[in-house]
Amino acid sequence: YDCRHQLNNWREAWPVAKREWCCKHGGRSCERASAAGSKGCHVPCHYKEFNSTCAMRVAWLLEHRIAPGAGACKTALQTVRGECPGACTGCPLEDVGCPREVAGAPLA
């Protein structure tokens, strides 16, 4: 499976088998429960003319704007937190669903 294809819309676009494979092998599309029952990374993020969730916005940035590598996910999440202040502050790095190889160090 190509786990980057349609990553910004994986819940709707990917069949269950692909979701499971990509979660197991690449750390993408993994459903995680957020702390204290909050929606965490699945809250709406309205940026310019785009409406998505914090996690989907991070995935889009990783696919289109931020070079892969150590710390890429952290950089994308920091960008999203700046684009959607308030909405994405409850989105922890470990719940974004980044592949293990780009997750980098935890946010301070």
Side-chain angles (χ1 to χ4, degrees):
Y1 292 106
D2 178 357
C3 298
R4 292 189 63 135
H5 182 69
Q6 295 181 314
L7 180 60
N8 62 331
N9 191 31
W10 63 267
R11 279 187 184 83
E12 292 81 23
W14 292 2
V16 173
K18 180 176 180 176
R19 291 180 198 180
E20 291 173 355
W21 191 94
C22 289
C23 179
K24 183 177 180 181
H25 297 282
R28 294 178 188 252
S29 78
C30 300
E31 294 283 358
R32 293 186 178 97
S34 357
S38 73
K39 292 184 179 179
C41 300
H42 303 293
V43 297
C45 169
H46 306 289
Y47 176 69
K48 294 187 178 181
E49 70 274 8
F50 303 104
N51 293 315
S52 63
T53 65
C54 301
M56 288 171 57
R57 184 78 185 125
V58 167
W60 188 89
L61 286 169
L62 288 171
E63 191 168 338
H64 300 283
R65 296 279 188 259
I66 296 176
C73 191
K74 179 180 175 180
T75 300
L77 181 56
Q78 288 173 325
T79 300
V80 169
R81 286 179 173 171
E83 294 171 349
C84 300
C88 297
T89 56
C91 176
L93 182 64
E94 60 272 9
D95 287 353
V96 172
C98 289
R100 290 176 198 93
E101 66 272 11
V102 298
L107 287 172

